[in-house]
Amino acid sequence: MAATGFGNYRNGTQSSRTSLGSSNKVDKPLSVYSNPKNPSLKSKSLNSSGLRKSAPGSLGAATGAAKDDAGVPGRVRVAVRLRPRNAEEMVADADFADCVELQPELKRLKLRKNNWDSDTYEFDEVLTEFASQKRVYEVVAKPVVESVLGGYNGTVMAYGQTGTGKTYTLGRLGEEDTAARGIMVRAMEDIFAGVSQGTDSVSVSYLQLYMETIQDLFDPTNDNISIVEDPKTGDVSLPGASLVDIRDQQSFVELLRLGEAHRFAANTKLNTESSRSHAILMVYVKRSVNGIDSALSTDNGDSSQVVKSLKPPVVRKGKLVVVDLAGSERIDKSGSEGHMLEEAKSINLSLSALGKCINALAENSPHVPVRDSKLTRLLRDSFGGTARTSLVITIGPSPRHRGETASTIMFGQRAMKVENMLKLKEEFDYKSLARRLDIQLDKVIAEHERQQKSFEKEIERITREAQNQISEVERKYADALEKERVKYHEECMESIKKLEEKWMKNQQKHAIDGNKVGLKGDGSDVTSKGEVAAVKEVAELKKLLQKEALLMKAAQEEVDNLKSQLAQSKKLEATANSEILKLRKMLEDEACQKQKLEGEIAMLQSRLLQISFDTDETRKRLDKGGSEKILSGLDSQMSQLRQPQLNAAGNGEKASIAKLFEQVGLHKILSLLEAEDADVRIHAVKVVANLAAEETNQEKIVEAGGLTSLLTLLKSSGDETIHRVAAGAIANLAMNEKNQELIMAQGGIRFLSMTAANAEDPQTLRMVAGAIANLCGNDKLQTKLRGEGGIKALLGMVKSRHPDVLAQVARGIANFAKCESRASTQGSKNGRSLLIEDGALPWIVQNANNETSQIRRHIELALCHLAQHELNARDMISGGALWELVRISRDCSREDIRTLANRTLASSSIFQAELRRLRIEH
């Protein structure tokens, strides 16, 4: 049957070779993440050398998120794809059979050694030469893309000999034939289908690694990009690379075509368009879990509405890395010369470095040489890290290249033994929360300004009405006074006029009467009577005038009284105006103070949320360090913490813990541990736990009463989250010998034991066990620790069976046994071990060969230290510990532990006698 070949692809076009053919058979998608049909064979091939797992989390600040920070195991999945014979091979190898035979239904591949012998290999997926590009994408890359959309990192990589179809599988644009689209194009189609244009973002970088130099394919002039590694998390970033935001599939295809045009390629004997560089496509996906923030998209006009919850929306960040490796080649077959020879050497060196890393990870080696090449540094998260990784190895059928095919197959087999620990990349969207708080703050300010203006208008209205009323009263008083004055004046003038008229009449009358008397000569009596009447009339007039004068005086006094009342009213008005101005100023001051306090509260709440996030990130990074770092001391872990970096998404520089420490003050932070709000207490204890991770802060925390507050929380709080975080903070403080004595003096073991007895969460038990394990390493506290139930508490926690908890229990037992061994050597201890008296020996023997390396290593150390005291020998022999000591002396992977076991067995006469009795050579 004639088979068509992969078309060599470069710059989005197809060379003279025909594209990959397909049969009429409909391929049913089968995920490479499903279990193989023959689990027994697969189990044998994978478990023989063991899988490399990410180390369990270490002690530190407790998590505030609901996710499991320990991660999810995810083995590297490997699929093999066979390229059909090309035109040259059909002529040159016409008389020879293919060197490989595929059994896709069994997911097996047979590599022929000769006509009668072959080797069988099993993969997660076996793709024949008839497999379509769609099927390759669905079984190799689609599960990885779905994980990236869910907030995980993912890697898809192609490895194989030059000319076997790696670029065709990954980078085919498929503009002429959509069925020929490669993994890059199909992956972006699924990503755009899974994101929301309103709230999510997608950005890409496209790079090539050429001659150990990283070049930006979007900007070829940027040809010396440096690799930056985060010392806390180990994450690798390329800050100098172009990062382009894209919104649709068409713009991505155009960018991909632009990048492919700048990639180095050359014509060799094995491939007319041979890639001379490793191409790396990085896709960054940022998705909002809660979707569009309703608080920003709607406005009901209610300015009094406040933020009900300060918890920010959650954002998940996933990174997809698609790696098109340059093909491995043999110089004698490719015919490379001159500069092409140097290129081939560089390619082979980087691929060799990658192979060494894969071998070290597959063999669970303590050292992985990731820094030998820039390629391995870029891919450190893809193998043995936190990314979901899928590898497709491409091979050819030609028997002339059987050696290269065998090497490719073995690379894939070793890669299948590498296990990653997948971790969700999730963080809080503080920028969205800040926008929402700004909007709410603007509404509150606007409402306050509206109320203040309304209050000012009301005051002005009342003042205006009061002034109008006062003016009206003044006018009425003035009118009334004027009327009274005019009235009295008129009455007075009328009385005077009447009196004058009477006076004139009397004068005329007197004159007439006088004339008559003179004429008669005898009028003395009459004159006398007239004068008497006149005198009486004048006296009466004087009385009337006096009365009028008194009335005028009374009127004037009343006028003066009214004027005095008016002045008093004006004085009262001035006093009222002064009081109104004072009240207005007081209201303004109170409004300013209220606004200032609201700003401070919002700032403190934002800082608490940021600190909670920093705490979660710190715990995640510490969890990634594993129990091996715990053994070497939490001091070395915590000293690696540094100030937060600039946020790459544009969120600005985060406030560091040290800066918060200086601005807020430790006493104020510790006072929040007694807050009534449970959320505030949780945030506060997380901040204290994060501060306790820094050795420079521990003394300040203890002096300020932080240790007492943490122990009180363990004793009185019923919240398990507070128990977990407080125990983690105490574990950090317990790394200091001085603090260990204070913890014991304040009843710390009793509170830790009580917490362990009531806790169900493995992470809480891990924190408590870590704190007790640190205390077990103090020679001075052993008797008191045992007397207060410390050993019993450790042994009681093994019921959880969680490997992280068991690792801490084993570490505590090893520390206690080491202190006892030192005390026995110095002569300060004579009796048998307190561990044996408290019944720890059966559990120690049972876990001496535990499959988890951290637990096994601590138990092996504990057995060696217990065996150094001769009084423990009989109990250890009867308890089966001697057999484990012999095994440790022979099979332990750690040379120092193996040497200690041999020396212990050789120095004990009781052990030697028992070995001779059992006829065991040692």
Side-chain angles (χ1 to χ4, degrees):
M1 178 180 64
T4 58
F6 279 133
N8 280 327
Y9 166 75
R10 180 67 63 215
N11 301 339
T13 62
Q14 186 179 9
S15 66
S16 59
R17 299 184 184 182
T18 59
S19 63
L20 178 67
S22 62
S23 65
N24 295 327
K25 179 181 178 181
V26 179
D27 291 323
K28 181 180 179 182
L30 183 61
S31 171
V32 299
Y33 294 91
S34 60
N35 292 326
K37 294 182 178 180
N38 190 347
S40 60
L41 178 58
K42 183 170 183 179
S43 177
K44 180 178 180 182
S45 62
L46 294 181
N47 295 333
S48 58
S49 60
L51 298 177
R52 179 181 179 90
K53 299 182 179 179
S54 295
S58 60
L59 291 174
T63 180
K67 302 296 180 185
D68 184 6
D69 293 331
V72 179
R75 177 175 58 79
V76 174
R77 304 292 172 166
V78 182
V80 59
R81 188 180 194 186
L82 176 65
R83 171 184 59 76
R85 290 193 179 193
N86 53 35
E88 179 185 354
E89 291 171 346
M90 283 192 284
V91 174
D93 301 333
D95 297 332
F96 300 95
D98 292 348
C99 66
V100 293
E101 176 186 347
L102 303 184
Q103 296 177 336
E105 65 282 355
L106 298 177
K107 298 183 181 180
R108 292 179 182 174
L109 176 149
K110 287 187 177 182
L111 179 63
R112 290 193 178 92
K113 294 181 179 179
N114 44 51
N115 292 334
W116 59 87
D117 192 12
S118 62
D119 292 329
T120 301
Y121 302 94
E122 182 177 349
F123 291 91
D124 293 295
E125 191 65 41
V126 174
L127 302 168
T128 68
E129 63 269 30
F130 304 109
S132 64
Q133 289 281 74
K134 179 180 179 182
R135 175 172 173 76
V136 173
Y137 170 73
E138 288 180 343
V139 300
V140 174
K142 189 170 184 177
V144 178
V145 173
E146 291 174 349
S147 294
V148 171
L149 288 172
Y152 295 87
N153 289 346
T155 302
V156 178
M157 189 172 72
Y159 178 91
Q161 183 188 11
T162 182
T164 53
K166 296 182 299 299
T167 303
Y168 178 88
T169 299
L170 297 180
R172 183 79 169 177
L173 293 182
E175 294 179 301
E176 298 177 358
D177 181 9
T178 57
R181 291 170 300 166
I183 286 176
M184 291 183 181
V185 178
R186 294 178 185 270
M188 288 306 298
E189 288 179 348
D190 281 356
I191 288 175
F192 281 121
V195 299
S196 171
Q197 294 294 333
T199 58
D200 303 339
S201 64
V202 180
S203 54
V204 298
S205 295
Y206 198 19
L207 315 164
Q208 70 173 350
L209 179 59
Y210 176 73
M211 300 283 286
E212 282 301 296
T213 300
I214 301 176
Q215 182 182 26
D216 193 337
L217 290 175
F218 294 155
D219 181 14
T221 59
N222 187 10
D223 58 358
N224 191 18
I225 299 174
S226 59
I227 302 174
V228 177
E229 298 181 18
D230 190 334
K232 293 187 293 184
T233 64
D235 293 340
V236 175
S237 60
L238 302 168
S242 300
L243 189 62
V244 182
D245 293 330
I246 52 177
R247 293 293 180 182
D248 53 62
Q249 181 71 7
Q250 183 60 35
S251 60
F252 170 72
V253 172
E254 292 175 359
L255 285 173
L256 195 60
R257 185 187 300 109
L258 173 66
E260 284 293 320
H262 297 141
R263 192 175 174 190
F264 290 102
N267 184 6
T268 67
K269 291 181 180 180
L270 296 177
N271 191 352
T272 58
E273 292 265 348
S274 175
S275 301
R276 314 307 290 170
S277 66
H278 307 298
I280 304 167
L281 174 70
M282 295 183 175
V283 183
Y284 301 88
V285 181
K286 182 179 180 181
R287 299 185 65 208
S288 176
V289 176
N290 298 331
I292 301 176
D293 191 351
S294 59
L296 298 179
S297 61
T298 61
D299 186 3
N300 57 9
D302 184 6
S303 60
S304 64
Q305 182 181 3
V306 296
V307 180
K308 295 182 179 180
S309 174
L310 283 175
K311 184 175 182 181
V314 176
V315 174
R316 289 180 179 173
K317 293 183 178 181
K319 180 174 72 173
L320 174 64
V321 180
V322 183
V323 185
D324 180 13
L325 296 174
S328 60
E329 61 182 63
R330 291 189 178 180
I331 306 303
D332 56 344
K333 291 185 179 182
S334 64
S336 299
E337 298 178 352
H339 184 68
M340 288 177 56
L341 177 61
E342 297 301 320
E343 291 177 338
K345 290 180 180 179
S346 177
I347 292 170
N348 290 339
L349 282 174
S350 61
L351 293 177
S352 175
L354 177 60
K356 290 179 180 178
C357 290
I358 297 296
N359 290 345
L361 291 168
E363 295 172 0
N364 207 17
S365 173
H367 173 65
V368 181
V370 294
R371 306 189 67 84
D372 289 356
S373 168
K374 288 187 177 180
L375 176 63
T376 54
R377 291 178 65 190
L378 288 171
L379 297 178
R380 67 182 303 170
D381 191 45
S382 303
F383 294 95
T386 61
R388 185 185 292 277
T389 301
S390 185
L391 170 67
V392 55
I393 59 173
T394 57
I395 59 175
S398 175
R400 290 180 297 157
H401 304 307
R402 185 191 177 282
E404 289 83 349
T405 301
S407 176
T408 300
I409 291 173
M410 293 310 299
F411 180 89
Q413 288 287 293
R414 287 189 292 269
M416 289 176 68
K417 299 178 181 179
V418 178
E419 181 165 322
N420 297 345
M421 190 62 68
L422 313 182
K423 290 191 177 181
L424 185 65
K425 308 297 182 181
E426 190 173 77
E427 65 181 28
F428 293 132
D429 187 0
Y430 289 101
K431 191 174 182 181
S432 173
L433 176 63
R435 288 198 305 270
R436 184 167 57 185
L437 291 178
D438 286 341
I439 291 174
Q440 294 297 332
L441 182 60
D442 292 340
K443 288 183 179 180
V444 171
I445 292 174
E447 175 66 16
H448 176 70
E449 290 177 350
R450 187 188 67 79
Q451 293 179 354
Q452 187 173 3
K453 288 180 180 179
S454 176
F455 179 72
E456 290 176 352
K457 289 180 179 179
E458 185 67 17
I459 290 178
E460 290 177 359
R461 185 185 65 80
I462 295 173
T463 304
R464 189 165 53 251
E465 290 180 356
Q467 291 176 347
N468 292 336
Q469 291 177 357
I470 292 172
S471 300
E472 183 68 18
V473 170
E474 289 178 350
R475 187 181 61 78
K476 288 180 179 181
Y477 278 140
D479 292 345
L481 288 173
E482 183 65 21
K483 287 180 180 180
E484 289 292 330
R485 188 185 67 78
V486 171
K487 178 181 176 182
Y488 285 126
H489 181 69
E490 288 177 351
E491 290 178 352
C492 182
M493 292 303 294
E494 181 133 357
S495 298
I496 293 173
K497 186 177 179 182
K498 288 179 179 180
L499 290 173
E500 287 178 350
E501 288 177 353
K502 288 182 178 181
W503 175 264
M504 290 300 294
K505 288 179 179 181
N506 290 329
Q507 289 295 332
Q508 290 176 1
K509 185 178 179 182
H510 290 320
I512 293 172
D513 291 339
N515 291 332
K516 288 180 176 182
V517 170
L519 291 175
K520 291 179 176 181
D522 188 12
S524 57
D525 294 335
V526 178
T527 303
S528 300
K529 292 179 180 179
E531 289 178 353
V532 171
V535 170
K536 289 182 179 180
E537 189 72 25
V538 169
E540 187 176 349
L541 286 174
K542 285 183 179 180
K543 290 180 179 179
L544 289 174
L545 286 174
Q546 290 176 354
K547 185 178 180 181
E548 289 296 329
L550 290 174
L551 289 175
M552 286 292 293
K553 185 178 179 181
Q556 187 63 38
E557 288 178 355
E558 187 173 356
V559 169
D560 293 339
N561 187 26
L562 289 175
K563 286 183 179 180
S564 175
Q565 291 181 4
L566 181 60
Q568 185 70 20
S569 176
K570 288 184 177 180
K571 185 176 180 181
L572 290 175
E573 179 189 0
T575 304
N577 289 336
S578 176
E579 291 295 328
I580 290 173
L581 290 175
K582 287 181 180 179
L583 288 174
R584 184 182 299 172
K585 185 176 181 181
M586 288 174 62
L587 288 173
E588 291 177 353
D589 293 341
E590 184 178 353
C592 293
Q593 185 68 16
K594 179 181 178 182
Q595 184 176 0
K596 183 178 179 181
L597 290 174
E598 288 175 348
E600 290 180 356
I601 290 171
M603 180 179 66
L604 288 174
Q605 289 172 334
S606 177
R607 284 177 180 171
L608 282 175
L609 289 171
Q610 292 178 359
I611 295 162
S612 176
F613 172 75
D614 291 342
T615 302
D616 297 340
E617 292 298 317
T618 303
R619 201 190 73 80
K620 292 177 183 178
R621 293 193 292 270
L622 294 176
D623 286 348
K624 187 176 179 182
S627 298
E628 294 182 1
K629 292 185 179 179
I630 296 177
L631 180 67
S632 61
L634 289 174
D635 295 307
S636 61
Q637 292 180 0
M638 301 308 171
S639 63
Q640 293 177 0
L641 294 174
R642 64 174 181 82
Q643 302 296 333
Q645 301 284 337
L646 287 177
N647 192 307
N651 289 335
E653 184 176 359
K654 296 179 180 178
S656 65
I657 299 300
K659 187 175 181 181
L660 177 75
F661 192 19
E662 296 173 0
Q663 292 181 350
V664 178
L666 181 59
H667 288 283
K668 193 169 184 179
I669 296 174
L670 292 177
S671 66
L672 295 178
L673 295 177
E674 301 176 359
E676 295 182 359
D677 191 339
D679 291 336
V680 174
R681 287 200 307 274
I682 291 174
H683 287 309
V685 76
K686 288 180 180 178
V687 174
V688 175
N690 201 18
L691 289 172
E694 300 270 357
E695 186 176 357
T696 55
N697 298 332
Q698 292 178 359
E699 184 177 355
K700 298 177 182 178
I701 292 173
V702 173
E703 290 177 354
L707 176 59
T708 303
S709 299
L710 292 171
L711 291 173
T712 303
L713 284 177
L714 281 185
K715 178 182 177 182
S716 60
S717 176
D719 190 299
E720 186 150 357
T721 301
I722 292 180
H723 286 170
R724 180 169 63 254
V725 183
I730 293 171
N732 289 336
L733 295 174
M735 292 185 295
N736 182 282
E737 184 176 352
K738 182 179 178 181
N739 295 341
Q740 291 172 356
E741 297 176 359
L742 291 175
I743 292 171
M744 292 294 296
Q746 297 183 26
I749 284 294
R750 293 197 307 276
F751 300 147
L752 290 170
S753 301
M754 179 179 63
T755 303
N758 298 328
E760 297 180 358
D761 181 23
Q763 297 303 324
T764 304
L765 293 174
R766 179 169 65 89
M767 296 296 181
V768 174
I772 297 177
N774 288 340
L775 296 173
C776 286
N778 192 319
D779 296 345
K780 304 174 184 178
L781 306 177
Q782 290 223 309
T783 304
K784 186 174 182 181
L785 186 144
R786 187 251 185 160
E788 295 186 4
I791 298 176
K792 294 290 186 182
L794 275 180
L795 295 177
M797 283 185 277
V798 302
K799 64 183 179 182
S800 81
R801 300 183 180 274
H802 194 281
D804 292 349
V805 179
L806 298 183
Q808 296 302 321
V809 172
R811 185 171 72 89
I813 290 176
N815 288 344
F816 199 94
K818 184 177 181 180
C819 291
E820 282 193 327
S821 174
R822 189 160 49 237
S824 299
T825 303
Q826 296 172 356
S828 58
K829 178 176 176 57
N830 298 322
R832 64 174 185 163
S833 171
L834 299 177
L835 291 171
I836 295 177
E837 290 183 357
D838 281 357
L841 186 60
W843 186 83
I844 294 174
V845 174
Q846 181 183 356
N847 288 271
N849 198 18
N850 194 289
E851 61 180 7
T852 303
S853 60
Q854 291 82 4
I855 300 174
R856 184 175 64 253
R857 182 157 58 88
H858 290 311
I859 294 300
E860 289 174 347
L861 282 171
L863 279 173
C864 292
H865 288 305
L866 287 174
Q868 289 183 351
H869 191 26
E870 196 77 7
L871 292 178
N872 298 332
R874 298 295 181 189
D875 293 304
M876 296 183 70
I877 291 173
S878 61
L882 178 59
W883 295 102
E884 296 299 334
L885 279 173
V886 173
R887 179 192 60 77
I888 294 169
S889 68
R890 295 175 178 177
D891 302 332
C892 183
S893 58
R894 287 279 298 269
E895 184 179 355
D896 55 341
I897 299 177
R898 193 168 60 249
T899 302
L900 180 61
N902 279 304
R903 186 169 63 248
T904 301
L905 289 172
S907 62
S908 174
S909 59
I910 297 176
F911 287 149
Q912 287 295 319
E914 182 67 15
L915 291 175
R916 285 193 298 271
R917 188 183 70 81
L918 298 174
R919 298 181 181 180
I920 298 175
E921 295 183 1
H922 183 270

